[in-house]
C-alpha cells in the first residue's frame, strides 16, 4: 500500500472519528447554556455513539492513530522539519489526544460500567472538586483545546485529500479554533464548580472511594 492510499485511509478514519469528537465537543460547549440542557445533549448523543456505531467510532480512532503513526515514522526527517506551523500543531494535538484518550475513555465509559453507575456532566465537577483538584481543570482544557484544533485542521486536510478545494489560511483556522476554544473554556468554568455550587449525585461516592 503506497503513501497516497494510506493518506486517504488516514483521512477517512479521521473524518469518522471526527464525528465522535464533534459530538463530545458540542456536549461540553452546550454547558454554557446550563447543566440540565447539556445533560440532555449528552444523553441525545449517547444514543448515537453508545449504540451499534460505537465499534465503528473506536475502529476509526484506532486505525487513524496507527496509520498516522506509520506515515509519520516513515516520512523523511527533512519533510517533518519543513511542515507548516498549522501541520506541526496538528501533530502536537494528535499526540496529546493519543496520550489522554484511552484514560479518558476508561474513566467515562469502562469505570462507570464496572461500578454499575450512570455519570453525567456533573462528573466533571466531581473529578475537579472531589478527586484531582485544579490539575484536572487544566487537563480538561488541554484535552478540549487539542480536540478542537485537531478536528478543525484535520477536516480541512481530509477534504483536500479527496480533491475538494478548501481555503484554510492560518487566520481562518485561528478564528474558528478561537470560537470553539472560547466555548470550551466557558463551559469548563461552568462545570468546574468554581463559579457556583453544583449538586453532585451520591452515586459518585463509589468513584471517590475507589480513588481515595
Amino acid at each position: 500500500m503506497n503513501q497516497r492510499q494510506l493518506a486517504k485511509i488516514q483521512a477517512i478514519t479521521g473524518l469518522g472519528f471526527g464525528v465522535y469528537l464533534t459530538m463530545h465537543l458540542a456536549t461540553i460547549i452546550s454547558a454554557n447554556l446550563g447543566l440540565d440542557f447539556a445533560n440532555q445533549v449528552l444523553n441525545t448523543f449517547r444514543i448515537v455513539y453508545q449504540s451499534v456505531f460505537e465499534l465503528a467510532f473506536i475502529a476509526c480512532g484506532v486505525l487513524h492513530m496507527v496509520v498516522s503513526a506509520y506515515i509519520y515514522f516513515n516520512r523523511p526527517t527533512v519533510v517533518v522539519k519543513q511542515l507548516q506551523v498549522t501541520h506541526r500543531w496538528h501533530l502536537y494535538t494528535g499526540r496529546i489526544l493519543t496520550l489522554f484518550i484511552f484514560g479518558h475513555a476508561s474513566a467515562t465509559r469502562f469505570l462507570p460500567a464496572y461500578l454499575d453507575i450512570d455519570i453525567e456532566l456533573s462528573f466533571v465537577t466531581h473529578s475537579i472538586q472531589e478527586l484531582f483538584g485544579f490539575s484536572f481543570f487544566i487537563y480538561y482544557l488541554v484535552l478540549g483545546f487539542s480536540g478542537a484544533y485537531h478536528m478543525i485542521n484535520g477536516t480541512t486536510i481530509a477534504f483536500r485529500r479527496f480533491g475538494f478545494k478548501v481555503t484554510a489560511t492560518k487566520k481562518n483556522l485561528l478564528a474558528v479554533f478561537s470560537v470553539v476554544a472560547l466555548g470550551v473554556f466557558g463551559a469548563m468554568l461552568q462545570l468546574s464548580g468554581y463559579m457556583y455550587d453544583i449538586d453532585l449525585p451520591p452515586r459518585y461516592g463509589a468513584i471517590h472511594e475507589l480513588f481515595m
Side-chain angles (χ1 to χ4, degrees), residues 17-138:
F17 191 73
V19 174
Y20 176 82
L21 190 58
T22 299
M23 288 189 286
H24 274 64
L25 285 170
T27 299
I28 293 298
I29 292 173
S30 68
N32 287 290
L33 300 177
L35 183 61
D36 290 339
F37 177 74
N39 281 326
Q40 291 178 14
V41 174
L42 172 67
N43 291 324
T44 299
F45 283 144
R46 276 178 173 173
I47 296 173
V48 179
Y49 64 73
Q50 290 187 1
S51 64
V52 293
F53 296 105
E54 185 170 31
L55 289 178
F57 287 133
I58 293 173
C60 282
V62 172
L63 187 56
H64 184 71
M65 286 186 283
V66 171
V67 172
S68 297
Y70 180 85
I71 291 174
Y72 176 79
F73 287 113
N74 285 276
R75 180 181 289 170
T77 303
V78 66
V79 175
V80 175
K81 290 182 178 180
Q82 291 175 352
L83 288 176
Q84 295 180 358
V85 65
T86 54
H87 284 64
R88 284 183 177 274
W89 277 104
H90 194 73
L91 286 175
Y92 300 151
T93 54
R95 292 170 184 172
I96 291 171
L97 291 174
T98 301
L99 179 65
F100 288 140
I101 196 165
F102 293 107
H104 184 74
S106 297
T108 58
R109 190 77 170 99
F110 303 129
L111 182 61
Y114 172 73
L115 295 174
D116 194 25
I117 62 173
D118 181 48
I119 64 170
E120 294 184 324
L121 283 176
S122 56
F123 178 68
V124 173
T125 313
H126 179 80
S127 65
I128 295 172
Q129 293 292 334
E130 302 293 333
L131 295 177
F132 306 111
F134 185 71
S135 63
F136 247 50
F137 177 75
I138 300 300

Side-chain angles (χ1 to χ4, degrees), residues 145-159:
F145 292 165
S146 297
Y149 184 86
H150 204 76
M151 177 196 67
I152 294 166
N153 190 57
T155 300
T156 63
I157 294 173
F159 280 128

